[in-house]
Amino acid sequence: MARVKRAVHGRKHRRAVLEQAQGYYGNKSRSFKSANEQVIHSGQYAFRDRRARKGDFRQLWIQRINAAARLNGMSYSKFIAGLKAAGVEVDRKVLADIAVTDAPAFAALVQLASSAPTSGNDAGAEAAAS
């Protein structure tokens, strides 16, 4: 079998891994074996957390909307149900931004949601029937 000489490619790979591991604590930024292991784990965490971040932001938006709705005398769930009944299609990101930056506009949305005709449990029964 032919001899395979890997010196250049092996060194290039190790240098690339150690460059990615710059800033890691202790041996994880100096030793190739530790650095390689940490770089692989870091990539897995980054992949997982890019998806988890979306849920984290949604959670933050809901908390902000809930706080602003309660300042206007309404719970989050009733506010969202009222907006849906009124036919207002504004996502939670925009609602949270309005709640933080423009209190009068949010109060108007709360007023709109409270005046919308909601029929409580009947809405779920109608959706199930159709």
Side-chain angles (χ1 to χ4, degrees), residues 72-92:
N72 288 290
M74 183 178 263
S75 72
Y76 168 80
S77 60
K78 287 181 181 170
F79 175 62
I80 293 295
L83 285 181
K84 198 167 283 192
V88 177
E89 291 186 21
V90 183
D91 64 358
R92 285 159 182 80

Side-chain angles (χ1 to χ4, degrees), residues 4 14 24 29 41 55 59 70-71 76-77 84 107 109 114:
V4 178
R14 286 191 290 274
Y24 290 173
S29 65
H41 281 130
Q59 198 173 22
R70 287 185 187 276
L71 285 175
Y76 168 80
S77 60
K84 198 167 283 192
L109 283 171
S114 64

Side-chain angles (χ1 to χ4, degrees), residues 39-56:
V39 164
I40 289 169
H41 281 130
S42 296
Q44 290 172 335
Y45 297 145
F47 182 87
R48 176 196 70 195
D49 292 339
R50 271 195 299 275
R51 280 137 190 85
R53 184 191 311 138
K54 291 157 184 57
D56 292 343

